[in-house]
């Protein structure tokens, strides 16, 4: 499962190279570090992209 999440993280980082600072997979969860201004586009991509098709958002956190 971690390998699939790692591949997905790489795909997202490539699709949003200017907005995604990085990603990591820990404890079976994918963490994406993205610019605040790109959140709506990123979430729309995760929902609508045929290779993703996410259906549930569990958490959004921020650091100032």
């Amino acid at each position: 499962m971690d390998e699939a999440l790692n591949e997905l993280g790489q795909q997202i980082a490539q699709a949003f190279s200017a907005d995604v600072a990085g990603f990591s997979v820990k404890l079976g969860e994918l963490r994406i570090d993205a610019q605040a201004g790109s959140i709506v586009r990123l979430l729309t991509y995760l929902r609508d992209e045929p290779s993703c098709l996410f259906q549930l958002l569990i958490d959004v956190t921020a650091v100032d």
Side-chain angles (χ1 to χ4, degrees):
M1 177 149 156
D2 284 355
E3 182 59 33
L5 291 174
N6 192 43
E7 289 177 17
L8 179 58
Q10 290 174 357
Q11 174 187 337
I12 293 165
Q14 287 177 340
F16 291 86
S17 60
D19 299 314
V20 172
F23 70 93
S24 62
V25 177
K26 293 182 183 173
L27 302 172
E29 294 182 356
L30 174 61
R31 173 184 164 172
I32 301 169
D33 298 325
Q35 298 294 320
S38 66
I39 296 298
V40 172
R41 282 189 318 113
L42 179 58
L43 293 176
T44 301
Y45 176 86
L46 292 174
R47 182 192 66 196
D48 296 344
E49 170 62 32
S51 62
C52 299
L53 297 178
F54 278 48
Q55 296 179 354
L56 176 67
L57 173 64
I58 294 175
D59 196 10
V60 173
T61 61
V63 176
D64 184 11

